[in-house]
Amino acid sequence: MANKKNNITFSDIAKYTNFSKTTISRYFNHPETLTEQNRNIIAEALEKLNYKENKVAKILANGCTEFIGIIIPNLYVRYYSEILNQILSTYEAFGYKFLVFISNGSKEDERTYLQELLAYKIEGLIILSHTLPSIELANLHLPLVAVEREDVYISSVNSDNYQGTILACENLSSHDCEVFLHISAPTTRTTPAYKRVEAFDDYCEKHQLLHHTFMEEMGASHEEVKSHLTHILEQIELNYSGIRKGIFISGDTYANVFLNLLIRKYGYLPNDYFLIAFDDSPISREAIIPISSVSQQIDKIAFEAVELLISQIQAQKERPAFCEPVHKIISPVLIPRETTEKN
Amino acid sequence: MANKKNNITFSDIAKYTNFSKTTISRYFNHPETLTEQNRNIIAEALEKLNYKENKVAKILANGCTEFIGIIIPNLYVRYYSEILNQILSTYEAFGYKFLVFISNGSKEDERTYLQELLAYKIEGLIILSHTLPSIELANLHLPLVAVEREDVYISSVNSDNYQGTILACENLSSHDCEVFLHISAPTTRTTPAYKRVEAFDDYCEKHQLLHHTFMEEMGASHEEVKSHLTHILEQIELNYSGIRKGIFISGDTYANVFLNLLIRKYGYLPNDYFLIAFDDSPISREAIIPISSVSQQIDKIAFEAVELLISQIQAQKERPAFCEPVHKIISPVLIPRETTEKN
DNA sequence: TTGTACGCGTTATCAC
DNA sequence: GTGATAACGCGTACAA
């Protein structure tokens, strides 16, 4: 009944039921073409012989792996772990399985991951790492969606960094801030986050507001970040003392550190400080004083990314032609909290 | 040269080089059995025809998927995202690929994930979710390693929760705390974290210390946690005012909330409060006052889990007999920070 | 050292 | 409705 490897196959079921392998296959893929009686016979046999399906064989025969590859920089940054969380959760909706690689920033390694993913015949790729240029990725001729990274030659889903920044500025305006400050790590022009820099400047210049941007490399460790922000805080206290400061910090990990520095200095958040962060990761809500933040709606980004990818997978199956990159934008939402809405 | 699907296979390479498919296969799997000259010829052909390997076919032929399945509760909790991070990173060391499912706590769904994983012929499973009892998992007769969950019938890797708690208590002792308090969410006897409760009680009773355990359901949201801890803090202030309090909080997310409550009340950490948390996730270091914490050495746990799983996979290949469950314990390390080491 | 022939477990294309 | 038969792409006895 079972072969040496103790693996029940269609052949075994076929022998047992006196049908052919074809009929067993149809039982799974086109059950409506069988009589109910025969369906029952097969169902019983499957049960009795304890049949387990083998998708590897299925893939080889019909070419559909239902695999999507993911290359993500790390899971240490909240944004990434949450977006992976949301992407993996789309299994319920779409049924695609995910092969996940963590990229450590080495191009060499990342190319290895790509080869491995291609070898497993992934149907599409979601890429969050920013190591390889999009032109190289486009040359894979594989359905592909980038999330929050350079996306000149490939499809992508991003949050509207420009609009989100405007929301933050408008909130700071509504609190009559007298100087607008932007704290950010350096970004390059092709990066989605660069839009935050642009938007901040645009807004301040349009409304003729006193403003300044602190843009510097913050370092990788918490201690480095803390020391950089300590220095920035000193400058702010020196140059803008006594006036209402609206501070927009790109990234709420930084914002949390900055807030903690203020609290350790004063024991409370001084009245002339108004803080808004970006991302709205849990730390914003859990900070000692809950931090106002621009939420990226990560669940939507993830869902749209998978949906867009699948639509491209299907498009390519029908006509394997070149697809124009599609760029989707998700609107962010301002979550006002205590660092701006004081009472 | 290429077939209709534009897929180069061994056949194509064979025709092109006038070797047989077998020789091409050997080029990859036993290159030493070819002359260097022929190897070069084949290498050139592979290059010229742009051959891409197909691991799906390979799997079907030799049965080795190099897939490991992972079922993890979520990536919202830092411990899980970090352990997934570390597990995925073992690709460098072992080459196994990971199929990841997020379990939402439904048994039904989890069984679906298991079936899916089995259909893809995973060679082993790492399970962190605690939805299904280990007896059911053991019945899969699949190499299996549990991490930080009930593990009566299956192999596991856990941190030494008992020893970690003792380390915490010893530190609090060294600061001459007069009352020992333990704040924890409820745990059940078969859960690894239950050992923290036991160890705390054992230590306090052995040393005849005044002690109390606050064990209550904290709720899922930050706001709920905050409200529970506010209440606990009130009780502590009421019952133990004026004496040195050593507080052991199981989980540094809770510890951070508790610390923030103290700082918002006093503007600083009062001298009679000594705090130690468990887990040492980034929040411990990044809290407004860095929190002393018992580190679980997640990197080691992840590595040992994968290593143990692979050893079981190999053992089963050699003699597919029943394997006694193996339980590995990783020693935690106390990371002293400002909430205990005051100056 | 190299080639032949068959197997892995399923799907697809025809016939019947 | 059902059944042969040939793919799918690679590995491996066994033979040469």
Side-chain angles (χ1 to χ4, degrees):
Chain A
M1 217 156 292
N3 61 25
K4 60 218 161 198
K5 283 191 65 190
N6 190 27
N7 242 345
I8 305 298
T9 75
F10 280 9
S11 291
D12 300 311
I13 307 294
K15 273 177 208 151
Y16 186 85
T17 57
N18 291 320
F19 287 112
S20 69
K21 290 196 298 181
T22 315
T23 303
I24 312 301
S25 173
R26 264 196 298 261
Y27 169 85
F28 288 102
N29 300 313
H30 306 285
E32 69 282 359
T33 66
L34 303 195
T35 64
E36 183 167 351
Q37 199 181 11
N38 290 345
R39 258 179 291 170
N40 289 336
I41 294 174
I42 294 175
E44 258 179 49
L46 292 172
E47 189 71 24
K48 187 158 256 158
L49 300 187
N50 189 26
Y51 169 78
K52 302 278 182 202
E53 64 176 327
N54 183 336
K55 292 222 179 178
V56 177
K58 190 170 183 166
I59 293 168
L60 190 58
N62 76 3
C64 293
T65 58
E66 295 186 317
F67 281 148
I68 288 176
I70 300 180
I71 300 184
I72 194 166
N74 61 67
L75 300 181
Y76 175 88
V77 172
R78 210 76 212 208
Y79 176 79
Y80 291 129
S81 63
E82 185 56 20
I83 210 146
L84 180 61
N85 191 358
Q86 297 294 338
I87 290 176
L88 296 180
S89 299
T90 63
Y91 172 76
E92 312 291 333
F94 301 109
Y96 277 78
K97 273 67 63 181
F98 297 94
L99 281 168
V100 189
F101 281 96
I102 306 271
S103 151
N104 48 19
S106 139
K107 292 197 184 201
E108 203 60 30
D109 287 350
E110 214 153 303
R111 293 197 183 101
T112 308
Y113 302 153
L114 280 175
Q115 290 314 309
E116 187 81 324
L117 289 171
L118 291 174
Y120 278 100
K121 302 299 164 189
I122 55 169
E123 299 191 34
L125 176 68
I126 295 179
I127 186 150
L128 291 102
S129 78
H130 30 259
T131 308
L132 298 176
S134 66
I135 180 89
E136 176 172 345
L137 298 170
N139 277 329
L140 295 173
H141 300 295
L142 177 80
L144 194 76
V145 171
V147 175
E148 208 67 15
R149 54 150 283 149
E150 179 263 301
D151 58 357
V152 180
Y153 296 96
I154 56 186
S155 292
S156 66
V157 176
N158 288 302
S159 55
D160 191 339
N161 285 273
Y162 196 98
Q163 181 55 23
T165 303
I166 298 297
L167 290 177
C169 290
E170 283 172 351
N171 179 285
L172 294 175
S173 276
S174 77
H175 293 295
D176 304 317
C177 290
E178 294 161 288
V179 60
F180 280 57
L181 303 171
H182 182 190
I183 300 176
S184 164
T187 57
T188 55
R189 228 160 303 269
T190 48
T191 279
Y194 186 76
K195 292 264 194 294
R196 301 180 196 171
V197 180
E198 281 184 338
F200 183 82
D201 288 349
D202 287 357
Y203 184 90
C204 291
E205 272 152 32
K206 179 174 167 196
H207 295 82
Q208 303 191 320
L209 300 163
L210 179 61
H211 68 284
H212 180 73
T213 297
F214 296 90
M215 184 172 314
E216 47 185 89
E217 197 57 68
M218 297 289 179
S221 76
H222 172 67
E223 285 67 23
E224 287 176 85
V225 171
K226 198 164 166 179
S227 109
H228 278 97
L229 288 173
T230 302
H231 184 63
I232 290 175
L233 176 56
E234 280 166 8
Q235 291 180 256
I236 292 175
E237 301 253 283
L238 198 68
N239 297 326
Y240 307 104
S241 93
I243 63 175
R244 293 165 78 87
K245 293 166 272 293
I247 308 185
F248 174 54
I249 308 185
S250 291
D252 28 36
T253 309
Y254 295 163
N256 181 55
V257 175
F258 190 82
L259 174 66
N260 282 346
L261 290 172
L262 277 170
I263 305 288
R264 284 202 84 162
K265 177 161 184 186
Y266 294 103
Y268 59 91
L269 180 63
N271 267 326
D272 54 341
Y273 277 92
F274 293 81
L275 262 53
I276 294 193
F278 213 101
D279 289 349
D280 192 41
S281 51
I283 190 68
S284 280
R285 169 184 291 157
E286 295 169 10
I288 182 158
I289 295 178
I291 302 172
S292 301
S293 190
V294 178
S295 164
Q296 302 225 41
Q297 303 206 78
I298 294 184
D299 51 347
K300 279 198 191 173
I301 294 177
F303 191 87
E304 293 268 352
V306 176
E307 201 172 47
L308 176 57
L309 185 62
I310 292 175
S311 79
Q312 297 202 357
I313 290 171
Q314 276 156 0
Q316 178 173 302
K317 271 182 191 159
E318 284 156 22
R319 37 154 192 67
F322 172 73
C323 280
E324 267 304 305
V326 177
H327 301 289
K328 289 219 175 189
I329 300 286
I330 309 297
S331 293
V333 174
L334 179 69
I335 314 287
R337 296 206 183 88
E338 287 184 47
T339 55
T340 56
E341 318 306 309
K342 310 173 179 186
N343 31 359
Chain B
M1 216 157 288
N3 62 27
K4 61 218 162 198
K5 283 192 67 191
N6 190 26
N7 244 345
I8 305 297
T9 74
F10 281 10
S11 292
D12 301 311
I13 307 294
K15 272 176 208 152
Y16 187 85
T17 56
N18 290 321
F19 287 111
S20 70
K21 290 195 302 180
T22 313
T23 303
I24 312 302
S25 172
R26 265 196 297 260
Y27 170 85
F28 287 101
N29 300 313
H30 306 286
E32 69 282 0
T33 66
L34 303 195
T35 65
E36 183 167 351
Q37 198 182 13
N38 289 344
R39 259 180 290 170
N40 289 336
I41 294 173
I42 294 175
E44 258 178 50
L46 292 171
E47 189 71 23
K48 186 157 256 161
L49 299 186
N50 188 25
Y51 170 78
K52 302 277 183 201
E53 65 176 326
N54 184 336
K55 291 222 180 178
V56 176
K58 190 169 183 165
I59 292 168
L60 191 57
N62 75 4
C64 293
T65 59
E66 296 186 314
F67 281 148
I68 289 176
I70 300 180
I71 300 183
I72 194 164
N74 61 67
L75 301 181
Y76 175 86
V77 172
R78 211 74 214 208
Y79 176 79
Y80 291 129
S81 62
E82 186 56 21
I83 209 146
L84 180 60
N85 191 0
Q86 297 294 337
I87 290 175
L88 295 180
S89 300
T90 63
Y91 172 76
E92 314 291 334
F94 301 110
Y96 276 78
K97 272 68 62 180
F98 298 94
L99 280 168
V100 189
F101 280 95
I102 305 270
S103 150
N104 49 18
S106 140
K107 293 197 184 200
E108 203 60 29
D109 287 349
E110 213 153 304
R111 293 197 183 100
T112 307
Y113 303 154
L114 280 175
Q115 290 314 309
E116 187 80 324
L117 289 171
L118 291 174
Y120 279 100
K121 302 299 163 189
I122 55 168
E123 299 190 35
L125 177 68
I126 295 180
I127 186 151
L128 290 103
S129 78
H130 29 260
T131 309
L132 298 175
S134 65
I135 180 88
E136 178 172 345
L137 298 170
N139 275 329
L140 295 173
H141 300 296
L142 178 79
L144 194 75
V145 171
V147 174
E148 208 67 16
R149 55 150 284 149
E150 179 264 302
D151 58 358
V152 180
Y153 296 96
I154 55 185
S155 292
S156 66
V157 177
N158 288 303
S159 56
D160 191 339
N161 285 273
Y162 196 97
Q163 181 55 26
T165 303
I166 299 297
L167 290 177
C169 290
E170 283 171 352
N171 178 285
L172 295 176
S173 275
S174 75
H175 294 295
D176 304 316
C177 290
E178 293 161 289
V179 60
F180 280 58
L181 303 170
H182 181 188
I183 300 176
S184 164
T187 57
T188 56
R189 228 160 304 269
T190 48
T191 279
Y194 186 76
K195 293 264 193 295
R196 301 179 195 172
V197 180
E198 281 184 338
F200 183 83
D201 288 348
D202 287 358
Y203 184 90
C204 291
E205 272 153 32
K206 180 175 167 196
H207 296 83
Q208 304 192 321
L209 300 162
L210 179 60
H211 68 283
H212 180 73
T213 297
F214 297 90
M215 184 172 311
E216 47 186 87
E217 198 57 69
M218 297 288 179
S221 75
H222 172 68
E223 285 68 24
E224 286 176 87
V225 171
K226 198 164 167 181
S227 111
H228 278 97
L229 288 173
T230 302
H231 184 63
I232 290 175
L233 175 56
E234 280 166 8
Q235 290 180 257
I236 292 175
E237 301 253 282
L238 198 68
N239 296 327
Y240 308 104
S241 92
I243 63 176
R244 292 166 78 88
K245 294 165 272 292
I247 308 184
F248 173 55
I249 307 184
S250 292
D252 27 35
T253 308
Y254 295 162
N256 180 55
V257 175
F258 190 82
L259 174 65
N260 282 346
L261 290 171
L262 276 170
I263 305 287
R264 284 203 82 162
K265 178 163 183 182
Y266 293 103
Y268 59 93
L269 181 63
N271 268 325
D272 55 340
Y273 277 92
F274 294 80
L275 260 55
I276 295 194
F278 213 100
D279 288 350
D280 192 42
S281 52
I283 190 68
S284 281
R285 168 184 292 157
E286 296 168 9
I288 182 158
I289 295 178
I291 303 171
S292 301
S293 190
V294 178
S295 165
Q296 301 223 43
Q297 304 206 78
I298 293 184
D299 50 348
K300 280 198 190 173
I301 294 176
F303 191 88
E304 294 268 353
V306 176
E307 200 171 49
L308 175 57
L309 184 62
I310 292 175
S311 80
Q312 296 203 358
I313 290 171
Q314 276 157 0
Q316 179 172 303
K317 271 181 193 161
E318 285 156 22
R319 37 155 192 68
F322 172 74
C323 280
E324 267 304 305
V326 177
H327 300 289
K328 290 219 175 189
I329 299 286
I330 308 298
S331 292
V333 173
L334 179 69
I335 314 287
R337 297 205 183 89
E338 288 184 46
T339 55
T340 56
E341 319 307 307
K342 310 174 181 186
N343 31 359

